[in-house]
Amino acid sequence: MRFQRSLLMSFFRQCKDRTLVFAQNVGPLLFIRELFSNPATTGAPWPSSRQLGIKMAAAMPVGGSGLIVELGAGTGVVTQALLDHGVEPERLLIVERSQVLFEYLQKRFPQLRVVLADAADCRDFIPASIKIDAIVSSIPLRSLPFEDAETIVSQWCKLAPHGAWLVQFTYALWGPLRHLSSRFAFQDSAIAWLNFPPARVVLFKIG
Ligand SMILES: C[S@@+](CC[C@H](N)C(=O)[O-])C[C@H]1O[C@@H](n2cnc3c(N)ncnc32)[C@H](O)[C@@H]1O
């Protein structure tokens, strides 16, 4: 009887350990954990869909030699779409401020430069001499405190003073984008209806 009980306990312990290991390697589960601990900075109920990733990447012109900075990469759906779109890994710089998602991104994309940082501090790790061709942002500008979003966006003009592409997604399906529309030149937009919830991808030109 005692032997059976200890066998059962050991089985449950193993199940628990394996479930924990599994959860640490599954992007959507980590994302949901982040959502509960930091709802405003996570800013979405679920990771971006493949369709949203493809639409964001498609807005990126391929070619060029400058850096493409992805801000708020989360689980890496947009990152993967950028690679699939033909962006060379050496041109990508991935920025994520959640420690858990940063570690996940490092494991998922060992070939990329992934930085654990706040997008508000880009100037600290991107030297002024580096040319930036594009900023691809999943930063939840609408759910962040207004001042924090302003601080992040106001940097983008300094990061890419000579004109660069900016792609941002938003759950606001129409109307101007707070922080962006008054600053940058609108180029194009598309809606990813299959995303949860549907999202609009907006392309701007900086500078
Ligand atoms: C809407 S989610 C990104 C979804 C992502 N495309 C995916 O598929 O998982 C926003 C992400 O931005 C990150 N984030 C929010 N504020 C940030 C900041 N100031 N700097 C860097 N990352 C930030 C969050 O941690 C979160 O991973």
Side-chain angles (χ1 to χ4, degrees):
M1 187 69 174
R2 193 177 285 170
F3 175 71
Q4 281 175 334
R5 195 181 303 152
S6 76
L7 205 66
L8 207 63
M9 291 300 285
S10 144
F11 172 74
F12 282 128
R13 218 170 292 127
Q14 274 196 34
C15 285
K16 188 181 132 210
D17 291 348
R18 281 174 191 216
T19 310
L20 280 175
V21 170
F22 174 74
Q24 279 160 11
N25 289 297
V26 176
L29 293 181
L30 294 177
F31 191 89
I32 286 171
R33 204 179 107 182
E34 274 304 292
L35 176 63
F36 281 108
S37 9
N38 300 300
T41 57
T42 306
W46 192 252
S48 308
S49 63
R50 204 170 119 70
Q51 188 198 40
L52 177 57
I54 289 171
K55 284 190 185 296
M56 288 189 78
M60 278 299 87
V62 210
S65 56
L67 204 60
I68 295 186
V69 183
E70 188 193 349
L71 301 173
T75 56
V77 174
V78 178
T79 318
Q80 185 61 58
L82 287 166
L83 292 170
D84 294 345
H85 185 59
V87 173
E88 298 94 336
E90 317 78 70
R91 288 182 67 205
L92 272 176
L93 178 70
I94 311 300
V95 181
E96 173 53 59
R97 85 174 217 180
S98 147
Q99 172 83 39
V100 171
L101 294 172
F102 160 73
E103 284 168 15
Y104 175 78
L105 287 164
Q106 273 194 318
K107 271 191 240 158
R108 182 170 175 188
F109 303 104
Q111 77 278 35
L112 300 183
R113 278 173 288 176
V114 184
V115 182
L116 173 65
D118 192 310
D121 303 325
C122 278
R123 261 282 158 253
D124 295 349
F125 54 89
I126 306 178
S129 55
I130 300 279
K131 179 172 175 270
I132 294 179
D133 277 354
I135 294 173
V136 180
S137 165
S138 295
I139 300 281
L141 296 173
R142 282 170 18 116
S143 63
L144 289 180
F146 185 89
E147 284 309 322
D148 292 359
E150 269 298 295
T151 308
I152 293 170
V153 172
S154 60
Q155 269 202 78
W156 295 347
C157 305
K158 294 176 201 148
L159 279 173
H162 307 301
W165 299 98
L166 163 66
V167 189
Q168 171 76 49
F169 90 80
T170 173
Y171 295 121
L173 296 187
W174 54 82
L177 268 70
R178 200 166 67 165
H179 307 287
L180 303 182
S181 296
S182 57
R183 270 195 178 96
F184 307 119
F186 170 84
Q187 304 291 310
D188 201 2
S189 77
I191 295 183
W193 291 107
L194 299 181
N195 196 64
F196 174 69
R200 180 166 48 132
V201 174
V202 189
L203 177 67
F204 295 96
K205 193 94 174 145
I206 305 176

